[in-house]
């Protein structure tokens, strides 16, 4: 990795840590530059403003969220539908439980969304992504005759709402058995429309 790429990565990692601990308002570009070991003017080579850095970091987080909530429907069989659904929840739960700084940073973006339309819109897009992910999975399950085509739009919305609520509860720090809750949610949502016992 070249010096420019390494410095960019250092800025992003430092911003992640500092924003998660202190928030956006209490962290300046000077703070970040000092921690990285560069001058404040040097940071402008990579980011035009603090707002651009905050947005770039957010976009990176969104891609990360999408990567660990991906369900590879092409790998779905009648026997592994539930397992794939269990896994997507467990991956997200593992990520959030292991990386508390991720939770802290995302909380700051939720607060930012209350006063910035861009972030409010992006949070809605994330939720829509969850809906689409589960709907596409259930459509595929119907196509391979794993489940019946009965209220799958509503059922995918139930899964998305539960998934989003579980991840929101983790953000609060409340200690619950989220993996068991998610598994029970999947089981209950698919109960009665399965062709096969999983």
């Amino acid at each position: 990795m070249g010096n420019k790429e390494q410095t960019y990565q250092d800025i992003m990692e430092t911003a992640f840590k500092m924003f998660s601990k202190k928030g956006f308002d209490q962290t300046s570009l000077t703070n970040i530059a000092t921690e990285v070991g560069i001058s404040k003017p040097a940071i402008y080579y990579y980011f035009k403003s603090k707002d651009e850095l905050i947005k770039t970091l957010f976009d990176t987080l969104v891609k990360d969220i999408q990567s660990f909530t991906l369900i590879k429907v092409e790998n779905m069989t009648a026997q592994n539908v539930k397992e794939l659904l269990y896994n997507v929840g467990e991956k997200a739960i593992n990520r959030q439980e292991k990386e508390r700084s991720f939770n802290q940073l995302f909380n700051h973006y939720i607060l930012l969304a209350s006063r910035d339309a861009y972030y409010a819109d992006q949070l809605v897009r994330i939720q829509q992504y969850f809906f689409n992910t589960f709907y596409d999975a259930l459509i595929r399950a119907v196509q391979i005759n794993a489940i019946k085509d009965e209220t799958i739009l509503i059922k995918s919305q139930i899964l998305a709402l539960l998934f989003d609520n579980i991840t929101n509860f983790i953000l609060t720090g409340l200690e619950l058995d989220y993996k068991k809750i998610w598994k029970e949610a999947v089981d209950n949502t698919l109960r009665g429309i399965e062709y096969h016992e999983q």
Side-chain angles (χ1 to χ4, degrees):
M1 186 180 291
N3 287 341
K4 289 180 182 177
E5 292 84 358
Q6 184 60 59
T7 301
Y8 176 86
Q9 194 62 39
D10 290 345
I11 293 169
M12 291 287 283
E13 289 174 5
T14 301
F16 182 101
K17 290 174 188 172
M18 296 186 84
F19 287 149
S20 66
K21 286 181 183 176
K22 298 182 178 180
F24 303 122
D25 294 338
Q26 300 301 315
T27 305
S28 68
L29 287 182
T30 302
N31 298 145
I32 295 168
T34 301
E35 187 68 23
V36 172
I38 60 175
S39 66
K40 182 181 176 184
I43 210 167
Y44 288 109
Y45 174 83
Y46 301 92
F47 301 97
K48 293 177 184 176
S49 65
K50 180 177 164 182
D51 287 342
E52 183 180 311
L53 173 56
I54 291 169
K55 180 182 178 298
T56 302
L57 187 57
F58 181 78
D59 292 342
T60 302
L61 290 180
V62 170
K63 287 179 186 174
D64 201 22
I65 290 168
Q66 291 174 341
S67 72
F68 65 73
T69 55
L70 178 68
I71 299 175
K72 294 186 178 179
V73 294
E74 64 273 14
N75 297 335
M76 187 179 285
T77 67
Q79 290 72 41
N80 72 3
V81 172
K82 279 188 177 178
E83 199 61 39
L84 290 176
L85 291 171
Y86 294 157
N87 287 344
V88 72
E90 287 175 6
K91 282 191 293 185
I93 291 164
N94 283 338
R95 170 65 189 276
Q96 284 191 264
E97 287 182 335
K98 287 178 184 173
E99 294 190 39
R100 295 297 181 182
S101 56
F102 178 91
N103 299 348
Q104 293 166 337
L105 181 57
F106 210 80
N107 266 332
H108 291 302
Y109 279 110
I110 290 170
L111 290 172
L112 185 57
S114 68
R115 63 179 194 264
D116 188 310
Y118 173 80
Y119 294 100
D121 182 57
Q122 293 306 307
L123 291 178
V124 170
R125 287 176 186 265
I126 291 171
Q127 291 171 327
Q128 186 63 55
Y129 176 81
F130 294 156
F131 285 129
N132 294 344
T133 295
F134 293 113
Y135 184 64
D136 291 346
L138 295 190
I139 285 285
R140 177 64 177 161
V142 168
Q143 291 170 345
I144 62 174
N145 295 317
I147 63 173
K148 299 170 187 174
D149 188 4
E150 294 178 11
T151 63
I152 60 168
L153 175 61
I154 295 300
K155 290 185 180 300
S156 64
Q157 292 171 347
I158 289 169
L159 288 173
L161 287 167
L162 289 167
F163 181 85
D164 189 50
N165 274 295
I166 285 172
T167 56
N168 285 336
F169 265 87
I170 294 171
L171 290 174
T172 69
L174 186 61
E175 298 291 337
L176 299 174
D177 193 336
Y178 294 106
K179 290 179 187 175
K180 283 187 179 177
I181 292 169
W182 175 246
K183 188 174 179 182
E184 185 71 17
V186 170
D187 290 345
N188 286 334
T189 303
L190 296 188
R191 188 166 290 130
I193 65 168
E194 299 168 89
Y195 282 122
H196 306 285
E197 288 296 321
Q198 302 294 314

